[in-house]
Amino acid sequence: MAKTLFEKIWDSHVVVDERNGRSLLYVDRHLVHEVTSPQAFDGLRMNKRKVRRTDLTFATMDHNVPTSNRSLPIVDQTSAVQIKTLERNCKEFGIELFDINSPNQGIVHVIGPELGITLPGTTIVCGDSHTSTHGAFGALAFGIGTSDVEHVLATQCILMEKPKTFEINVVGKRKNPHTITAKDIILSIIRQIGTAGGTGTAFEYRGETISDLSMEQRMTICNMSIEGGARAGIIAPDEKTFDYLRGRRYVPKNYDELVEYWKENLKTDSNARFDKSFTLRADEIAPQVSWGTNPAMTVDVTGKVPFPEEYAKGNAEEQKAAVKALQYMGLKSGTPITDIELDRIFIGSCTNSRLEDLIEASKVVNGKKISPKMRAMIVPGSQHVKKQAEEMGLDKIFKDAGFEWRESGCSMCLGMNPDILSAGERCASTSNRNFEGRQGAGGRTHLVSPVMAAAAAIYGHFVDVRELDLN
Amino acid sequence: MKGSVIKYERDNIDTDVILPGPYLKIHDYNELAKHAMEGIDKDFHKKVKPGDFIVAGKNFGCGSSREHAPIALSYSGIKAVLAISFARIFYRNAVDGAFLLPIEIEESAYRDISEKDDLDIDTSKNEIKNLTKNKIYQMKPFPELIGKIIAAGGLFNYKP
């Protein structure tokens, strides 16, 4: 029977097939961080259980680590305790940890691929909804909660109902790959299918546009699958995938043999059927800017802050939501997006903090200064990204322009470490969620690509990056 | 299961507003409960009573996978969330630790139920009685896996 890529990976990991699509799946890689794991380790201790496969479990600290000088002690005591707790748990249970001073430390979804822990055809779980990122490598990757984390630590298996398959086809060529980025593609998709459009499904991103993307760009796309409601997002691996991973620290010794197997097996059969399908034309995509309080509330940079009735298209609930969102965001309908002035810029997060993101942003910034009223931060996704960027002199470009160049971590994506917005502050952010209070209570988030954020830093308001000379 | 309703007339209530990021560092469940719903309702912890139900619109619990969200609601006293639909990680987290029942209802029931209505939920009959309005609504049956985890009293008691 013809199968999709998702179904092939699912089927090859079934340990026990119960009825009605309910399966116990084997987990190939388990990534652990400090926030969603403490209770799981407590549970193991309480029940005198061990970690079943310490060799398949990797931990780092990213969510609440400060991104300032690492030689200083952590001021926030509850953060310090959570970080210490992970250290203690990893030591007690024998799990490899990339701690705050490790050269491998970084956001869990940046370091997994970077270290070659993420591999095609594998199942990957992590107590973080953005685990979908790893799907960029043709892995089946799910975000899970703490009970499931404990279950996986104890059994190396996860109990799931099989999601439906949802094909997202992106066809054609982008007008300019430097200004129409992967972030603009995924925001366009979510804007059209809605935040619950993918509920109960796993996305497979396909089409010429997706094949054209680099691995880092594919990660940006898969990262935000959860923002479209899907549990996972996957892209079939190709030569780019195999080249990206070759030689990385944790890839198996028989890598080239594996590549042959992956080439043969990790693709959707030509006559396979998806449960759902959506097609987007790449040549119609413009740079995107979110105006509201969920990622589907997004418009083209050339657009205006919408009127609630125009956004809602007759749906009373959507209209109410838009009114609330505009109130929270402090925006007036009809305002051109390029008239929106900003207080803060955040370039970072598991969505957009990789080397390519920083290279593209640096082209916008090179030789310029940020707007005088602006506070702008660059937070590389990992220590490796930071080091590579410094070797290329990117840190100097950003610092000369007035950006802060910081240590790696989740930073201002989620408002649980010292990097937060104050109430009322407006931020152009390359992160993934513009929910109320996400970047700090009362903070106002506009989701954009790294080049859009960089340009906003220079001009003090949003600008259409297509109008800038990026050479 | 009887209780009274706290209603939020909105869709997409995300886990960041159910339990905002700064509190993810808290280990104690009763402490977490003090900050439940703080992102959209600062008075929630004052008005919630043990046994209460939350009623909300579509895609409840979207966003972050933090199990802290159902935990905070549960330790506030919430026994069930009735919503038109749920984001899947929240849905699963809610039952894994037997924190609360995520109950899917029809849009008409969502509209009909008001703040402070008293409900009597019978999951064995998939039936919700509105004692205040003297009406009966159907709840969507739990999918098989979720129903079995609930019946077992959480993921760790589940037997295939």
Side-chain angles (χ1 to χ4, degrees):
Chain A
M1 199 185 84
K3 285 181 183 178
T4 65
L5 171 58
F6 163 81
E7 289 163 328
K8 288 181 187 180
I9 302 176
W10 178 281
D11 291 351
S12 68
H13 286 79
V14 170
V15 178
V16 180
D17 203 3
E18 298 185 25
R19 287 178 307 144
N20 302 335
R22 192 169 74 230
S23 293
L24 190 68
L25 289 186
Y26 198 74
V27 173
D28 295 317
R29 299 285 186 274
H30 186 188
L31 307 172
V32 173
H33 65 84
E34 77 278 21
V35 176
T36 54
S37 67
Q39 284 90 354
F41 285 112
D42 283 352
L44 292 183
R45 256 189 297 270
M46 213 156 63
N47 295 292
K48 301 198 166 48
R49 292 186 174 117
K50 290 179 177 164
V51 173
R52 186 168 175 87
R53 291 293 301 265
T54 52
D55 57 328
L56 303 181
T57 310
F58 300 88
T60 194
M61 34 196 69
D62 54 3
H63 280 61
N64 69 28
V65 298
T67 60
S68 50
N69 189 341
R70 289 269 150 96
S71 63
L72 300 172
I74 296 169
V75 180
D76 181 321
Q77 279 315 296
T78 49
S79 289
V81 167
Q82 210 167 49
I83 288 165
K84 277 273 163 239
T85 303
L86 181 64
E87 284 174 3
R88 205 192 62 215
N89 284 333
C90 288
K91 205 168 163 205
E92 181 183 335
F93 288 92
I95 293 168
E96 184 162 5
L97 169 70
F98 310 118
D99 70 16
I100 195 163
N101 297 311
S102 164
N104 295 326
Q105 183 272 344
I107 305 174
V108 64
H109 309 309
V110 176
I111 68 169
E114 191 174 72
L115 296 172
I117 294 168
T118 305
L119 293 176
T122 57
T123 49
I124 302 177
V125 299
C126 172
D128 189 281
S129 59
H130 291 109
T131 307
S132 56
T133 311
H134 306 268
F137 293 83
L140 184 52
F142 296 112
I144 57 177
T146 299
S147 295
D148 275 333
V149 169
E150 185 180 341
H151 191 274
V152 176
L153 287 172
T155 65
Q156 203 59 29
C157 292
I158 183 165
L159 183 63
M160 283 191 78
E161 263 171 307
K162 195 174 182 176
K164 303 260 184 234
T165 55
F166 192 157
E167 167 188 43
I168 308 256
N169 238 316
V170 190
V171 298
K173 295 266 183 210
R174 291 170 287 166
K175 287 196 178 110
N176 179 345
H178 297 288
T179 54
I180 312 297
T181 69
K183 185 64 161 287
D184 303 301
I185 297 174
I186 187 63
L187 282 172
S188 299
I189 292 167
I190 296 164
R191 177 181 165 185
Q192 295 192 43
I193 67 167
T195 52
T199 303
T201 72
F203 292 151
E204 182 180 337
Y205 301 97
R206 294 149 57 84
E208 179 191 4
T209 321
I210 301 296
S211 304
D212 282 349
L213 297 175
S214 70
M215 288 317 298
E216 297 193 354
Q217 293 163 348
R218 292 179 192 180
M219 283 188 253
T220 300
I221 302 257
C222 288
N223 173 273
M224 288 186 72
S225 302
I226 182 78
E227 263 53 72
R231 200 67 195 272
I234 197 168
I235 295 172
D238 59 13
E239 287 301 333
K240 282 184 200 168
T241 321
F242 310 137
D243 289 347
Y244 179 99
L245 289 171
R246 188 172 285 112
R248 290 187 186 261
R249 182 169 162 184
Y250 288 89
V251 300
K253 289 207 173 64
N254 60 340
Y255 186 74
D256 289 317
E257 277 171 49
L258 289 173
V259 168
E260 291 312 310
Y261 174 81
W262 293 333
K263 275 185 194 169
E264 193 65 32
N265 293 287
L266 296 181
K267 54 193 171 208
T268 290
D269 295 331
S270 58
N271 48 347
R273 298 276 291 268
F274 289 88
D275 297 306
K276 274 178 148 184
S277 182
F278 169 79
T279 298
L280 181 73
R281 280 184 51 178
D283 61 351
E284 291 174 350
I285 302 172
Q288 300 292 298
V289 180
S290 76
W291 55 268
T293 52
N294 74 51
M297 291 175 162
T298 294
V299 289
D300 292 357
V301 64
T302 49
K304 290 176 177 166
V305 175
F307 288 88
E309 56 275 23
E310 158 203 16
Y311 167 75
K313 298 190 183 89
N315 180 324
E317 293 295 324
E318 291 282 343
Q319 191 163 331
K320 268 195 284 184
V323 170
K324 276 200 184 105
L326 289 175
Q327 200 175 16
Y328 180 84
M329 292 296 289
L331 291 173
K332 259 180 79 178
S333 298
T335 308
I337 293 298
T338 49
D339 283 358
I340 297 174
E341 302 211 356
L342 297 144
D343 307 304
R344 303 281 296 268
I345 303 294
F346 171 56
I347 298 181
S349 87
C350 58
T351 313
N352 280 127
S353 64
R354 297 178 182 84
L355 188 61
E356 231 179 279
D357 296 319
L358 304 189
I359 292 171
E360 292 295 312
S362 76
K363 290 182 194 161
V364 177
V365 170
N366 198 2
K368 302 190 179 74
K369 296 274 181 216
I370 63 170
S371 165
K373 56 170 189 168
M374 191 77 76
R375 184 174 169 202
M377 287 168 35
I378 308 272
V379 185
S382 71
Q383 288 297 309
H384 283 291
V385 171
K386 181 167 184 262
K387 188 161 168 270
Q388 285 172 291
E390 286 171 355
E391 281 163 8
M392 293 175 71
L394 303 186
D395 58 324
K396 192 164 183 315
I397 293 175
F398 287 120
K399 284 192 277 192
D400 286 351
F403 280 87
E404 296 170 31
W405 178 254
R406 302 182 70 96
E407 297 294 335
S408 50
C410 298
S411 184
M412 209 159 69
C413 176
L414 85 166
M416 75 166 296
N417 56 64
D419 305 342
I420 52 169
L421 295 180
S422 306
E425 272 190 321
R426 188 179 298 286
C427 179
S429 177
T430 65
S431 55
N432 39 57
R433 290 187 176 134
N434 50 347
F435 298 156
E436 287 187 28
R438 170 78 178 181
Q439 294 192 290
R444 292 160 171 164
T445 306
H446 294 276
L447 303 176
V448 289
S449 71
V451 285
M452 282 290 292
I458 306 299
Y459 291 88
H461 56 84
F462 286 118
V463 292
D464 186 344
V465 283
R466 292 172 298 185
E467 291 170 4
L468 304 179
D469 178 12
L470 295 181
N471 295 313
Chain B
M1 189 169 64
K2 284 184 192 173
S4 100
V5 168
I6 297 174
K7 186 169 180 183
Y8 296 101
E9 279 187 49
R10 52 199 280 171
D11 298 337
N12 295 310
I13 293 180
D14 58 77
T15 53
D16 270 274
V17 300
I18 298 171
L19 198 274
Y23 309 118
L24 291 176
K25 292 174 251 182
I26 298 173
H27 198 70
D28 183 291
Y29 289 178
N30 291 308
E31 278 300 307
L32 279 179
K34 290 180 189 163
H35 302 287
M37 300 307 289
E38 195 175 300
I40 49 169
D41 184 2
K42 291 217 165 17
D43 297 324
F44 177 80
H45 73 282
K46 288 183 210 153
K47 66 185 177 201
V48 65
K49 302 182 302 302
D52 278 356
F53 306 129
I54 285 177
V55 173
K58 292 179 194 139
N59 203 26
F60 188 94
C62 60
S64 158
S65 67
R66 60 190 70 170
E67 205 159 302
H68 308 66
I71 291 170
L73 293 178
S74 175
Y75 279 72
S76 302
I78 295 292
K79 291 285 177 235
V81 176
L82 285 65
I84 301 171
S85 64
F86 289 89
R88 295 340 265 184
I89 304 181
F90 178 91
Y91 192 68
R92 178 61 185 271
N93 284 347
V95 301
D96 267 356
F99 297 119
L100 54 86
L101 296 182
I103 294 177
E104 291 190 323
I105 53 174
E106 295 295 335
E107 195 160 339
S108 53
Y110 161 70
R111 289 191 194 293
D112 203 54
I113 301 171
S114 311
E115 175 89 10
K116 293 190 175 149
D117 277 2
D118 288 313
L119 306 181
D120 186 359
I121 302 173
D122 184 347
T123 53
S124 68
K125 293 188 195 153
N126 294 320
E127 208 173 79
I128 301 162
K129 277 191 195 136
N130 188 331
L131 304 172
T132 309
K133 294 202 167 87
N134 200 19
K135 282 188 178 169
I136 293 177
Y137 321 108
Q138 295 300 306
M139 59 171 268
K140 285 186 202 158
F142 294 117
E144 197 174 338
L145 176 61
I146 296 292
K148 282 180 178 259
I149 294 174
I150 292 169
L155 178 65
F156 287 89
N157 301 320
Y158 172 88
K159 300 262 185 334

